[in-house]
Amino acid sequence: MDYLAGLNPEQKAAVEQINGPVMIIAGAGSGKTRVITFRVAHLIRKGVDSFNILVLTFTNKAAKEMRERITQMVGPEAKNIWMGTFHSVFAKILRVEANKIGYPSNFTIYDTDDSKSVLRAILKEMQLDDKLYSVNSVLNRISAAKSSLLTPAEYQNNPQIQADDDSSKRPLLGKIYETYAQRCYRAGAMDFDDLLFKTNELLRDHPDVRNKYQHKFKYIMVDEYQDTNHSQYKIVKTLAAVSENLCVVGDDAQSIYAFRGANIQNILNFEKDYPDLKVFKLEQNYRSTQNIVNVANSIIANNKEQLKKHVFSEKETGDKIKIMRAFSDNEEGKQVADAIMFQRSTNGLNWHDFAILYRTNAQSRSMEEALRKNGIPYKIYGGLSFYQRKEIKDLIAYFRLTFNPSDEEALKRVINYPKRGIGDTTVDRIIVAADKNGLTPFDVVLEANRYIEKAPASLNAFATMIQSFQVITKNQSAYEAALHIAKHSGLLKDLYEDKSVEGLNRYENIQELLNGIKEFSEREDIEEKGLDVFMQDIALLTNDDKDKDKDADTVSLMTIHSSKGLEFPHVHIVGLEENLFPSQMSLNSRSDLEEERRLFYVAITRAEYKLTISYATSRFKFGTLISCEPSRFIDEIDAKYLELDFTAKPASSAGSSSYENERTAWTRKNDTYSKPKAATTPPVKTTSILAKAHVPSPDFKPSDTSNLQVGMQVEHERFGFGKVLTLEGNKPDIKATIFFKEIGQKQLLLKFAKLSIISGVE
């Protein structure tokens, strides 16, 4: 039992409880992965057959890391464990059992782009308004239905759903769902939601299959259980019904995916499903300093719906959490970039030690601009992945069509790429003929002269080429087959002949894909190495797995949702403003607001040593400059853990001695914040720890500034009261430099400034 010596008491107790239902509540940074891997290794050491263990994760990366650790502890037996993402594990089962629900074993897995393409075709055929029935909203509606295990018929026969669709003026959503499901079935394709939806169908309708896997998986572990949706919950509950040796691991405080169907009630109500449940709480955080952990605790304590725990850290106290205020989103970017430059140079850090987290992707613009101006290398995490590039998707479409000729989306993508004289009109005729005769489009292509009047000869050549690829894939390795298809499809030649910079990049990307397939072909840890197996692997990659450049020395920019599971020494959380974070949409209900607070908790707990939170007092939104109020979440943080940094100058006031003399500097004093006595302006009276935006005078009205003079006192509706220092330029583009009492010096263009003149020259 020496191998358990490195676990703390609660971790060890959770590992040793191998029988019956178990829930491990794992606080942020508490060694969750360590506990899961030790528990699986302990099962095997206690005599459990590794073939009877199922471990479900949410990323392939997590599964790979766990398997490597388990291998170090128990050796080759780790290879036999059924371990992977929900989608990859159940895709594997569906490959074996697909015929029972009418699918071929070589079914295609559609990604989001494929699904959208199918829906666009359906919307076009039904002549529906693509603004009312936008592809994204329709796909989200169908995804939600599948996650709730609603078939198209059940969807259309549900009065409440139909009433909702009628009120949104989209009464045909049910019909679209039905047609979409038919198209996927005809193409021998499943989308990501289908991999769970069809698994539920398989287990529900086929007792022999259900019994087979219930007795196969005698011990089940589920990671990140708080992120499971209804469909995943049902599968797990069904599979564990016989043995009830089910262990779920998660943290309700990190449940942040309700928008994609995750149901926090699955973890909150787990004890109702299993009354004899054993609960273990992992509360020691090994990642973050004490101050960071304390801040996270003070935030999440405001949520009413939670499983109570007290997370603590025995690491150093650490720096206080810095709160930075900027006067605009662009200035916020500059402050963050400056802070990163300073910390890196003074502490000898790398760029990859820093991460900038934001609520929405749109916030990256001001951050990117500031980083570029400072020459700071950065990467946007979760941007366009390698496998989403056009040239990669084109070659993969050839692979897909080779293995599944029924794949309509793959056929439409490559039938005329590279160009072979098969125009859109011909493709439309193929689709119509297929619908009319109950065939797949490739069936029509095979007998083009029979179904299409004046069919181009290139159709026959295309069909023959695909059939030749099918022969090649049966007789050659994954790499040899892929290289053959890349060459003989004409794709490789087409890219090679494009000598532009973009063309060369695309050609290099194809070479990189082929290199990856060659590496796959030479792996010793897998038995099946065919191109079809490689295809399934990449179809099931999560965003985290697709990132090819994650080890580069760059500052990481990402949404907070994308940051879950990651950690960084230095973290900047930006845009902490009301209606941005928390988002405006979250303010309609307590449950939505609590999810936003959990999202903030996740952001805070990504930081290991230093955490900085910033907000702007103004921000452009849809081309209009709006005033912003600091987020309520900042006020919820216990003030004793905070350091307020309101000393940054507006960009226009660099080098101003008057600004240096009168700038606002906040200091900590007796658990309240006030300005130093030396400051020339009185303290701001506020119930918050933060200075609020200026409230205009009741009679505020912009004045005619055509005769504005140096020395005049003015009021700005956002910046407050100030004194005109200089005027420069000619009408109508005169610029005024004004010192505002609350925020310091700013330079404004008079024709847009909307100033109210308070008094004459002093």
Side-chain angles (χ1 to χ4, degrees):
M1 302 294 287
D2 290 343
Y3 68 98
L4 299 181
L7 301 175
N8 68 37
E10 195 71 5
Q11 289 175 333
K12 185 178 179 182
V15 166
E16 292 181 323
Q17 182 64 47
I18 62 175
N19 291 312
V22 174
M23 179 164 66
I24 302 172
I25 302 172
S30 62
K32 169 176 66 73
T33 302
R34 181 179 175 84
V35 169
I36 294 173
T37 53
F38 270 77
R39 193 172 188 276
V40 174
H42 188 61
L43 284 170
I44 295 172
R45 291 203 176 194
K46 296 292 284 185
V48 175
D49 190 335
S50 55
F51 283 98
N52 296 140
I53 300 173
L54 170 63
V55 182
L56 297 169
T57 67
F58 274 82
T59 68
N60 290 301
K61 177 187 173 186
K64 181 181 178 183
E65 180 184 344
M66 289 180 193
R67 193 185 297 276
E68 288 173 351
R69 291 194 193 182
I70 296 167
T71 300
Q72 292 172 2
M73 300 171 71
V74 301
E77 278 294 310
K79 292 183 179 180
N80 305 326
I81 302 166
W82 281 62
M83 177 181 288
T85 64
F86 279 86
H87 294 91
S88 64
V89 167
F90 298 127
K92 185 177 178 180
I93 291 175
L94 286 168
R95 293 285 182 201
V96 177
E97 314 289 352
N99 64 303
K100 291 184 171 62
I101 54 175
Y103 277 81
S105 61
N106 63 342
F107 61 83
T108 297
I109 300 174
Y110 276 174
D111 65 13
T112 302
D113 286 345
D114 297 320
S115 296
K116 288 180 179 180
S117 179
V118 175
L119 286 172
R120 285 191 193 95
I122 293 170
L123 295 173
K124 183 177 179 181
E125 291 167 15
M126 296 177 67
Q127 298 181 325
L128 296 174
D129 183 349
D130 59 4
K131 292 186 176 63
L132 191 58
Y133 289 91
S134 72
V135 170
N136 286 335
S137 65
V138 173
L139 183 58
N140 289 339
R141 190 69 167 170
I142 292 173
S143 177
K146 289 181 180 178
S147 294
S148 300
L149 301 180
L150 290 172
T151 66
E154 290 169 335
Y155 184 100
Q156 293 180 83
N157 293 326
N158 185 304
Q160 182 59 55
I161 291 175
Q162 291 309 301
D164 290 344
D165 289 352
D166 287 342
S167 66
S168 68
K169 299 181 180 179
R170 298 183 299 172
L172 295 176
L173 281 171
K175 182 62 179 175
I176 297 170
Y177 178 18
E178 180 183 14
T179 307
Y180 173 77
Q182 291 169 349
R183 293 287 170 86
C184 290
Y185 182 78
R186 185 180 73 182
M190 296 187 196
D191 61 22
F192 257 46
D193 292 314
D194 280 328
L195 296 176
L196 303 179
F197 185 82
K198 297 298 180 183
T199 299
N200 271 295
E201 179 184 323
L202 186 67
L203 297 175
R204 182 195 67 205
D205 298 342
H206 298 273
D208 56 328
V209 176
R210 180 171 66 245
N211 184 64
K212 172 183 173 181
Y213 291 102
Q214 284 176 335
H215 286 84
K216 177 175 179 59
F217 300 131
K218 296 177 181 177
Y219 289 86
I220 301 173
M221 292 193 68
V222 184
D223 189 18
E224 305 285 11
Y225 190 67
Q226 77 280 350
D227 293 336
T228 54
N229 61 25
H230 180 65
S231 183
Q232 291 161 330
Y233 163 81
K234 289 288 289 184
I235 293 172
V236 170
K237 195 168 189 297
T238 299
L239 291 176
V242 172
S243 70
E244 288 203 345
N245 292 325
L246 171 62
C247 174
V248 302
V249 186
D251 181 8
D252 59 295
Q254 298 185 66
S255 179
I256 59 173
Y257 294 118
F259 69 94
R260 67 184 190 199
N263 185 357
I264 192 174
Q265 299 304 321
N266 290 348
I267 193 168
L268 294 178
N269 296 329
F270 191 66
E271 191 169 2
K272 292 182 180 178
D273 288 334
Y274 302 96
D276 55 342
L277 177 70
K278 302 288 186 185
V279 179
F280 301 91
K281 296 182 180 181
L282 309 182
E283 297 176 306
Q284 183 171 354
N285 181 304
Y286 293 93
R287 175 189 301 156
S288 307
T289 64
Q290 293 179 39
N291 271 335
I292 292 171
V293 170
N294 290 336
V295 165
N297 286 342
S298 70
I299 282 291
I300 205 64
N302 291 277
N303 272 10
K304 291 187 176 181
E305 198 167 40
Q306 61 175 299
L307 298 170
K308 292 293 184 182
K309 60 184 175 297
H310 177 69
V311 180
F312 65 95
S313 172
E314 293 185 350
K315 294 181 72 174
E316 67 272 22
T317 303
D319 293 342
K320 290 186 176 183
I321 282 61
K322 182 176 287 188
I323 306 291
M324 295 198 310
R325 178 182 65 183
F327 306 110
S328 67
D329 45 353
N330 287 334
E331 188 177 45
E332 182 184 32
K334 181 181 183 301
Q335 288 183 10
V336 170
D338 289 346
I340 290 174
M341 290 279 284
F342 177 78
Q343 288 292 335
R344 180 177 180 272
S345 61
T346 55
N347 296 311
L349 301 172
N350 296 306
W351 295 121
H352 64 240
D353 292 325
F354 298 89
I356 302 173
L357 309 183
Y358 35 77
R359 179 63 181 84
T360 67
N361 278 306
Q363 291 170 256
S364 72
R365 179 199 59 79
S366 56
M367 297 297 134
E368 287 186 76
E369 288 182 5
L371 294 175
R372 279 200 299 268
K373 287 177 180 176
N374 282 273
I376 299 175
Y378 68 90
K379 180 173 187 308
I380 297 183
Y381 188 96
L384 185 65
S385 79
F386 178 78
Y387 291 100
Q388 291 298 315
R389 292 179 169 90
K390 178 186 181 301
E391 61 275 12
I392 301 300
K393 289 179 73 72
D394 288 338
L395 183 52
I396 288 174
Y398 273 109
F399 298 164
R400 282 170 41 181
L401 192 61
T402 298
F403 289 106
N404 178 15
S406 299
D407 188 339
E408 181 177 321
E409 291 308 306
L411 181 140
K412 289 193 294 186
R413 186 175 190 100
V414 300
I415 194 169
N416 197 40
Y417 177 72
K419 291 187 181 300
R420 50 179 63 93
I422 304 173
D424 291 344
T425 301
T426 300
V427 174
D428 290 342
R429 288 176 180 173
I430 292 170
I431 303 302
V432 170
D435 289 342
K436 182 178 179 181
N437 294 282
L439 302 171
T440 69
F442 192 73
D443 290 332
V444 174
V445 173
L446 285 172
E447 298 187 72
N449 292 328
R450 177 180 174 186
Y451 293 106
I452 300 175
E453 186 178 348
K454 296 180 181 179
S458 51
L459 280 178
N460 292 327
F462 177 75
T464 302
M465 178 181 69
I466 298 300
Q467 289 175 317
S468 72
F469 292 166
Q470 292 170 337
V471 174
I472 290 293
T473 55
K474 291 177 181 177
N475 301 318
Q476 296 189 3
S477 71
Y479 173 70
E480 291 169 334
L483 182 59
H484 178 93
I485 293 172
K487 286 181 177 179
H488 290 83
S489 64
L491 185 148
L492 207 56
K493 180 175 181 289
D494 185 73
L495 292 175
Y496 181 76
E497 291 176 348
D498 182 354
K499 299 302 183 182
S500 66
V501 174
E502 294 80 7
L504 290 173
N505 286 336
R506 288 192 287 267
Y507 181 77
E508 289 173 358
N509 286 336
I510 291 294
Q511 293 293 344
E512 177 64 22
L513 175 63
L514 293 172
N515 291 339
I517 297 174
K518 186 172 180 61
E519 182 182 335
F520 169 84
S521 299
E522 296 172 353
R523 282 174 57 181
E524 296 181 358
D525 60 330
I526 56 174
E527 295 179 7
E528 298 182 29
K529 302 178 183 178
L531 185 57
D532 56 335
V533 179
F534 177 81
M535 288 291 298
Q536 176 169 312
D537 283 354
I538 62 171
L540 294 167
L541 291 178
T542 57
N543 285 338
D544 192 45
D545 307 310
K546 292 175 181 176
D547 187 358
K548 291 277 184 183
D549 305 314
K550 54 192 170 192
D551 295 326
D553 188 23
T554 55
V555 175
S556 296
L557 275 68
M558 66 189 79
T559 64
I560 300 168
H561 283 100
S562 297
S563 75
K564 191 167 177 290
L566 303 177
E567 56 189 45
F568 302 90
H570 290 243
V571 170
H572 285 262
I573 310 173
V574 300
L576 259 291
E577 298 139 31
E578 284 293 296
N579 299 319
L580 180 56
F581 196 16
S583 72
Q584 190 169 6
M585 295 292 290
S586 73
L587 303 179
N588 297 322
S589 70
R590 178 175 296 280
S591 62
D592 289 342
L593 180 59
E594 292 202 348
E595 171 135 341
E596 286 287 292
R597 190 176 284 113
R598 292 194 295 270
L599 189 60
F600 188 37
Y601 176 88
V602 166
I604 291 168
T605 54
R606 298 313 92 199
E608 296 176 289
Y609 301 108
K610 190 167 186 65
L611 174 65
T612 304
I613 297 168
S614 59
Y615 70 95
T617 58
S618 65
R619 185 177 296 273
F620 274 98
K621 187 173 183 180
F622 304 119
T624 302
L625 190 66
I626 61 169
S627 296
C628 304
E629 181 183 346
S631 170
R632 68 188 70 192
F633 293 158
I634 300 179
D635 281 340
E636 290 176 358
I637 301 174
D638 192 325
K640 65 185 177 185
Y641 303 124
L642 298 180
E643 170 194 348
L644 300 191
D645 180 6
F646 290 175
T647 62
K649 297 176 290 187
S652 60
S653 63
S656 166
S657 58
S658 60
Y659 179 86
E660 293 296 336
N661 292 334
E662 300 195 43
R663 62 187 176 145
T664 303
W666 291 70
T667 56
R668 177 85 163 83
K669 182 179 180 182
N670 300 325
D671 288 339
T672 59
Y673 290 88
S674 61
K675 295 180 182 178
K677 292 180 179 178
T680 58
T681 54
V684 176
K685 295 180 180 180
T686 172
T687 57
S688 166
I689 62 171
L690 303 173
K692 301 296 184 183
H694 172 72
V695 177
S697 302
D699 57 349
F700 177 84
K701 184 179 180 181
S703 304
D704 177 5
T705 56
S706 59
N707 294 314
L708 189 70
Q709 299 178 43
V710 172
M712 284 185 170
Q713 300 289 329
V714 296
E715 181 184 6
H716 186 278
E717 61 181 341
R718 197 156 48 82
F719 302 139
F721 298 99
K723 181 178 181 179
V724 180
L725 301 180
T726 64
L727 294 169
E728 57 184 273
N730 301 312
K731 294 182 180 180
D733 297 317
I734 296 177
K735 294 179 182 178
T737 301
I738 303 171
F739 180 81
F740 292 99
K741 293 180 180 180
E742 295 298 328
I743 67 169
Q745 192 168 300
K746 290 191 76 69
Q747 193 173 62
L748 304 175
L749 200 60
L750 283 187
K751 63 182 179 182
F752 298 126
K754 296 182 179 179
L755 297 171
S756 175
I757 298 174
I758 305 301
S759 65
V761 177
E762 292 183 347

